[in-house]
Amino acid sequence: MKCKTIIKSLFILPIIIFMNVAAMAQETGTASYYANKFEGRKTASGEIFRQDSLTAAHKTLPLGTYVRVTNLSNDSIVIVKINDRLPKSSKRCIDLSRRAANQLNFIKKGLTKVEISMIVDDPSKDEEQINMIEEN
């Protein structure tokens, strides 16, 4: 009896995880960007934060996930790697490096409404930009 329960749990757990990630495949909210005081600090992934990188912090997306961030006020797009965590209490949905915020053209505003989409369909479509992220 215990063996059947364990086997069921092992089968159901990946499905639950996949459903949670799939539900997060697209999100709309407010984006901000990191203050300069975080430059050189360790992120949740263990990487060193650099303002000139294309990275971001998110509350729940798995570290290492690539997301497409679209600024809804001007339709500019950037692809970033999630390498840090936002506090659960944050009102922001994503915190971007200065380089990513600059590409989305909201440095002067400080905040902007964005749509975040996980790159789950075919990452090769965005391969050039992903390679650029990994090189920096």
Side-chain angles (χ1 to χ4, degrees), residues 24-97:
M24 293 295 295
Q26 195 165 333
E27 177 182 2
T28 302
T30 303
S32 56
Y33 63 93
Y34 280 86
N36 286 330
K37 70 179 183 177
F38 293 103
E39 178 75 20
R41 292 190 187 179
K42 203 177 260 193
T43 64
S45 68
E47 297 174 25
I48 302 300
F49 174 71
R50 299 283 178 230
Q51 287 284 22
D52 63 352
S53 65
L54 290 171
T55 58
H58 191 274
K59 292 178 192 176
T60 58
L61 287 174
L63 298 174
T65 300
Y66 287 93
V67 295
R68 184 179 299 106
V69 183
T70 304
N71 184 337
L72 296 176
S73 68
N74 63 23
D75 293 327
S76 57
I77 296 172
V78 68
I79 294 171
V80 296
K81 178 181 172 185
I82 303 298
N83 73 342
D84 206 3
R85 288 282 170 240
L86 278 173
K88 298 276 185 208
S89 61
S90 177
K91 294 181 181 179
R92 317 279 185 251
C93 68
I94 194 164
D95 200 12
L96 300 158
S97 65

